[in-house]
Amino acid sequence: MRLRNSYLYQLKGSLKPITIFYSIFILLTVVSSISAFFAKDSIFQMSGWDFGILIFMFIMGCACFNEDFPMHLQNSVSRKTYFTAKLLSVFSSSAIMTALYAAFTLLIHWIFQYLLSNFTVFEITSVFEMLYFGGEGIFSFSMYLWTALLIFTSAVFVNMLGMFISGVFYRTGKLTRILLAAGIPLFFIMIFPMVDYTFFGRTLYAEVFKFIGNVFGIFEKTPWKATVSFGVLFAVSTVAAWLVIRKAPIKNK
């Protein structure tokens, strides 16, 4: 019963932000669709909303922990129960986000492909489509399924990554949080490029991007590699998040 109540509580907490996100998405899509309808013989394309979903899911993972975790412990809900419910809510919210995105993109495609094909072309293209399928607006069922699967697997990963980061900040002191928040971006923006330029002749960045491209199948246009990679990253971030919160204390605010 506690698992069910915890799951429903956490899922309910995600539904309002999801509603706001897709309200904005629908509003912008409708405005763009109307513009595309009146601009005859034109090609309109919206892209990047899948990347927006990932940013949204990451922020949700970061934002929910500090409030939900202490509340569960104060109500005698074990860390294991809370974490299990959290996993279920992550899967559910990611599935909802992916399903809504897939449904809206399919609806827009159907409207402009079959009902308004004589007026203009309007497509919603994802970053994953551009990476793995060329992003040319050519619709196929396999591309549609792969895109949805990529969005889902990446969404569960970034959400759990956000929870892990939030858990680390929750357990560390103020000075450590400041050092982490400032040091990590500083490392990638200044220190890493400086080291690469000074000692590796600007080849280290290239090797890193090459490694990422191979692991995620970007160069070979193989989306299944990205799906597997996101699954592995999700498993690693899940284990890391559990190690962080399993002995996290209750903090009095």
Side-chain angles (χ1 to χ4, degrees):
M1 180 60 71
R2 285 184 175 178
L3 176 62
R4 179 177 178 273
N5 291 337
S6 176
Y7 163 69
L8 292 177
Y9 173 83
Q10 295 186 61
L11 180 61
K12 184 179 179 181
S14 302
L15 292 180
K16 185 176 180 179
I18 291 175
T19 302
I20 295 173
F21 178 90
Y22 272 102
S23 296
I24 298 172
F25 174 75
I26 294 173
L27 177 62
L28 293 177
T29 303
V30 170
V31 171
S32 300
S33 300
I34 293 173
S35 301
F37 175 77
F38 286 104
K40 297 182 179 180
D41 301 324
S42 299
I43 299 177
F44 278 70
Q45 190 176 64
M46 290 179 62
S47 61
W49 275 102
D50 55 335
F51 191 71
I53 290 174
L54 300 188
I55 295 175
F56 175 82
M57 293 298 292
F58 175 75
I59 293 174
M60 277 219 307
C62 292
C64 296
F65 178 79
N66 283 350
E67 180 180 346
D68 291 348
F69 179 68
M71 187 275 295
H72 277 75
L73 295 187
Q74 290 169 358
N75 286 275
S76 301
V77 178
S78 68
R79 291 168 175 81
K80 184 177 180 180
T81 299
Y82 162 76
F83 192 74
T84 303
K86 177 64 178 179
L87 285 176
L88 294 175
S89 68
V90 167
F91 280 115
S92 298
S93 58
S94 299
I96 292 172
M97 293 290 289
T98 303
L100 289 175
Y101 176 85
F104 287 132
T105 53
L106 185 62
L107 177 63
I108 291 297
H109 174 80
W110 182 80
I111 290 175
F112 281 89
Q113 182 72 21
Y114 297 104
L115 298 182
L116 304 176
S117 58
N118 294 328
F119 293 91
T120 189
V121 176
F122 180 80
E123 292 286 347
I124 299 178
T125 306
S126 76
V127 174
F128 289 124
E129 287 179 27
M130 291 186 283
L131 288 175
Y132 296 99
F133 302 97
E136 299 175 353
I138 301 175
F139 181 84
S140 69
F141 188 68
S142 61
M143 181 188 74
Y144 183 76
L145 290 180
W146 274 118
T147 300
L149 185 59
L150 286 167
I151 292 174
F152 175 77
T153 52
S154 58
V156 294
F157 158 60
V158 297
N159 191 279
M160 191 54 61
L161 177 64
M163 179 182 176
F164 165 71
I165 294 174
S166 183
V168 170
F169 275 57
Y170 178 84
R171 292 196 61 175
T172 54
K174 183 177 181 179
L175 178 60
T176 305
R177 291 196 295 268
I178 294 174
L179 291 175
L180 288 174
I184 294 176
L186 182 65
F187 172 80
F188 287 104
I189 295 174
M190 295 186 64
I191 299 176
F192 186 82
M194 188 181 302
V195 172
D196 183 27
Y197 176 79
T198 305
F199 298 102
F200 297 95
R202 297 180 178 177
T203 60
L204 192 57
Y205 252 127
E207 290 300 320
V208 170
F209 285 123
K210 182 179 178 181
F211 173 77
I212 294 174
N214 288 328
V215 169
F216 285 87
I218 297 174
F219 302 137
E220 301 90 349
K221 306 296 182 183
T222 50
W224 68 266
K225 286 188 177 181
T227 303
V228 173
S229 297
F230 282 129
V232 172
L233 290 172
F234 168 73
V236 172
S237 60
T238 299
V239 173
W242 170 246
L243 293 176
V244 167
I245 74 168
R246 65 175 181 170
K247 293 185 178 180
I250 301 177
K251 290 189 176 182
N252 297 320
K253 297 184 179 181

